[in-house]
């Protein structure tokens, strides 16, 4: 799968890992407006969960967004990464192995959604995936050549549900996936 060609004109201001520019958007009345746009393609995210032990596998890594606001840079989230021209399912499986060292064989699609549609083109494919302890076959840790230093953590589902209910789960993609799992398999969250 290759990323589709953009359909909006973009005046590129910077091209690097992300592309920043000004896009021209046509409104319903035919008028046009210029809007800032950040583009780095599509991504996939997966929440691996062990239904037998009632835990989910998250990864902790330094993130610049929370650090910008003076919050701790170490951030717990579901494994995720850019499609880089690949299929969303293959990306979710690859990222789970690279970051968390877990081999996934079955993905449960949740949705594809836009993370910040007012300023970003990022389309995110979201999945749940069951795993067993025997599926923890790799070292994880991310790709050091990409500046990743990732720590895999198994977190009890009841703890994640409590964080979701009380507004203490700050990563939006992980929040959506935990809530999807709570709706689909509520018995996993019973005490």
């Amino acid at each position: 799968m290759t990323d589709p060609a953009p359909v909006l004109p973009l005046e590129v201001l910077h091209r690097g890992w992300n592309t920043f520019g000004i896009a021209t958007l046509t409104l319903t009345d035919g008028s046009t407006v210029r809007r800032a746009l950040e583009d780095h393609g599509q991504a996939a995210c997966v929440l691996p969960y062990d239904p037998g032990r009632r835990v989910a596998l998250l990864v902790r890594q330094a993130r610049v967004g929370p650090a910008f606001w003076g919050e701790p840079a170490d951030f717990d989230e579901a494994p995720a990464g850019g499609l880089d021209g690949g299929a969303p399912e293959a990306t979710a499986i690859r990222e789970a192995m690279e970051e968390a060292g877990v081999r996934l064989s079955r993905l449960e699609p949740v949705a594809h959604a836009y993370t910040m549609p007012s300023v970003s083109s990022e389309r995110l494919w979201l999945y749940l995936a069951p795993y067993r302890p025997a599926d923890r076959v790799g070292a994880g840790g991310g790709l050091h050549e990409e500046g990743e230093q990732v720590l895999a953590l198994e977190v009890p589902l009841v703890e994640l549900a409590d964080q979701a209910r009380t507004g203490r789960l700050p990563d939006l993609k992980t929040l959506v996936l935990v809530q999807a799992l709570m709706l689909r398999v509520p018995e996993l969250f019973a005490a």
Side-chain angles (χ1 to χ4, degrees):
M1 169 183 204
T2 56
D3 287 337
V7 296
L8 285 181
L10 184 66
E11 176 188 327
V12 175
L13 303 175
H14 170 80
R15 190 177 306 277
W17 185 75
N18 293 15
T19 298
F20 299 94
I22 304 296
T24 301
L25 181 65
T26 302
L27 303 178
T28 55
D29 69 0
S31 63
T32 60
V33 292
R34 292 168 49 84
R35 297 286 188 252
L37 178 75
E38 176 273 340
D39 174 41
H40 65 268
Q42 301 184 78
C45 179
V46 60
L47 180 66
Y49 68 96
D50 180 335
R53 295 181 304 127
R54 296 183 181 192
V55 297
L57 194 54
L58 299 183
V59 293
R60 178 174 293 159
Q61 56 189 319
R63 293 299 198 193
V64 69
F68 178 81
W69 294 108
E71 296 179 14
D74 283 344
F75 204 68
D76 297 349
E77 60 189 306
L83 298 191
D84 300 327
E89 298 85 358
T91 299
I93 289 168
R94 180 193 75 226
E95 291 295 326
M97 179 58 77
E98 281 179 10
E99 294 184 354
V102 64
R103 178 185 53 224
L104 301 177
S105 57
R106 185 171 63 91
L107 296 177
E108 302 166 357
V110 173
H112 81 271
Y114 291 87
T115 57
M116 295 187 320
S118 63
V119 296
S120 178
S121 67
E122 182 179 60
R123 182 166 45 180
L124 183 61
W125 300 84
L126 298 165
Y127 300 95
L128 298 169
Y131 77 96
R132 300 179 323 266
D135 295 323
R136 300 281 311 270
V137 296
L143 299 177
H144 290 282
E145 61 270 18
E146 292 184 6
E148 294 179 335
Q149 295 180 14
V150 179
L151 175 65
L153 308 163
E154 286 186 325
V155 181
L157 291 175
V158 294
E159 183 178 319
L160 287 174
D162 182 59
Q163 290 175 11
R165 287 186 190 105
T166 59
R168 294 180 295 115
L169 194 53
D171 180 57
L172 192 56
K173 62 189 180 300
T174 305
L175 175 64
V176 168
L177 288 170
V178 168
Q179 290 177 331
L181 187 59
M182 290 169 68
L183 288 169
R184 291 179 181 190
V185 198
E187 60 273 14
L188 292 179
F189 296 87

